[in-house]
Amino acid sequence: MYDVVQSIAREAGEIALRHFGRSPEGFVESKGHLDLVTEADRAVEQFIVGELAAAFPADGIFGEEGSARSGTSGRTWVVDPIDGTFNFVRGGDQWAVSIGLFANDRPAYGVTYAPVRNDLLAGGGDQAATLNGIRLKALPPFAPGIGLVGVGFHPVIPISDRLRALNIIFSDVKVDIRASGAATISLFEVATGLTDGYIGSGISSWDVMAMVAILETIGVHCNIDWKATDLASKLQFICGTPGFLRALPRDLLQPL
Ligand code: IPD
């Protein structure tokens, strides 16, 4: 199963790359304020869904661009064909294919592939997290003097809520921020030790399912209560290394 999903993610990334750099006219549509979808998102999702359905016919599938198949196994593949569509449209490298397995009410396995960088992260459950086949290094302890947290706010999140979260980060936690524009990439930065955590508001299950499974194998905890979460709902959460989470004020662990 693991090799199959990794090769589906790689091939999906190659399909996305064939569309990368196209002119936005006739290719990009708006799903809402600052929320984009492209022909590439749809083509890549169609490919991934076809491959997963052929490989794992008993499993359900839930995708950002509308795919919803119920399965009989109790397992669901949660798919974001291009996380970071905005960056994809603008020509940046911070976007990735994300395929996560949700089983027993938990993120159980994940593969994310950032095609421009040619970086593939995989892991979850009893599968150690690897980057391009090499096991991820142990994360550094939290050092407040070089503390960094990724942030991601969906455009529907009220500005007052975003400012409240930023105020807590700057005034109480006293670390700096990074915003990649793709939850997968921000969580990738946590997994590789470039940041200590990530605060997401208005983020969808397909943006994070794969990375949460990967992060759990290296001791990064995310405060998402999956048992109480509908896969279609918008999530508010914090992920971080144990040292970073310990440094947070208690009220930040409440909904933002
Ligand atoms: C978006 C990215 C972004 C987050 C948005 C998501 P998409 O996903 O993950 O970081 O802030 O909420 O919608 O639309 O590019 O797949």
Side-chain angles (χ1 to χ4, degrees):
M1 173 184 99
Y2 308 115
D3 291 346
V4 171
V5 184
Q6 289 182 33
S7 76
I8 293 173
R10 266 195 195 281
E11 220 178 309
E14 299 313 315
I15 295 171
L17 272 181
R18 281 183 227 138
H19 293 271
F20 189 52
R22 276 177 67 178
S23 149
E25 267 123 72
F27 174 61
V28 181
E29 276 172 47
S30 166
K31 289 201 282 191
H33 177 59
L34 298 175
D35 193 2
L36 307 177
V37 60
T38 70
E39 237 176 71
D41 294 76
R42 297 202 176 101
V44 174
E45 180 157 312
Q46 196 183 8
F47 167 77
I48 295 172
V49 168
E51 295 292 307
L52 289 174
F56 314 110
D59 293 349
I61 303 177
F62 185 59
E64 171 170 19
E65 309 312 340
S67 306
R69 283 169 64 106
S70 47
T72 52
S73 64
R75 310 191 320 169
T76 303
W77 294 96
V78 181
V79 174
D80 191 339
I82 299 178
D83 184 33
T85 302
F86 217 100
N87 296 337
F88 177 84
V89 168
R90 295 298 307 250
D93 68 353
Q94 294 184 307
W95 54 274
V97 174
S98 176
I99 306 176
L101 178 63
F102 188 62
N104 300 317
D105 291 326
R106 294 221 48 78
Y109 181 70
V111 178
T112 63
Y113 178 51
V116 181
R117 301 167 166 199
N118 196 19
D119 275 340
L120 187 138
L121 260 180
D126 61 4
Q127 295 296 300
T130 56
L131 171 59
N132 300 325
I134 296 165
R135 204 169 172 146
L136 286 181
K137 286 192 244 152
L139 292 171
F142 177 56
I146 53 167
L148 262 187
V149 61
V151 293
F153 303 118
H154 190 274
V156 298
I157 296 302
I159 291 169
S160 55
D161 290 0
R162 301 185 222 185
L163 293 177
R164 189 174 95 75
L166 291 177
N167 193 30
I168 296 172
I169 294 167
F170 291 132
S171 315
D172 299 337
V173 193
K174 297 188 174 66
V175 293
D176 212 340
I177 58 165
R178 293 290 180 270
S180 73
T184 300
I185 298 291
S186 293
L187 293 173
F188 189 105
E189 289 171 354
V190 181
T192 49
L194 300 180
T195 59
D196 301 293
Y198 173 74
I199 296 185
S201 191
I203 307 299
S204 299
S205 63
W206 49 72
D207 297 320
V208 299
M209 186 63 72
M211 280 307 307
V212 171
I214 294 167
L215 286 168
E216 280 181 354
T217 68
I218 53 169
V220 173
H221 175 69
C222 300
N223 68 344
I224 303 169
D225 180 358
W226 290 103
K227 277 201 167 96
T229 298
D230 180 333
L231 291 184
S233 62
K234 297 264 185 223
L235 308 170
Q236 305 194 100
F237 62 93
I238 298 177
C239 298
T241 61
F244 174 70
L245 292 180
R246 273 195 302 275
L248 295 176
R250 292 206 72 72
D251 63 342
L252 194 55
L253 295 168
Q254 306 304 316
L256 296 172

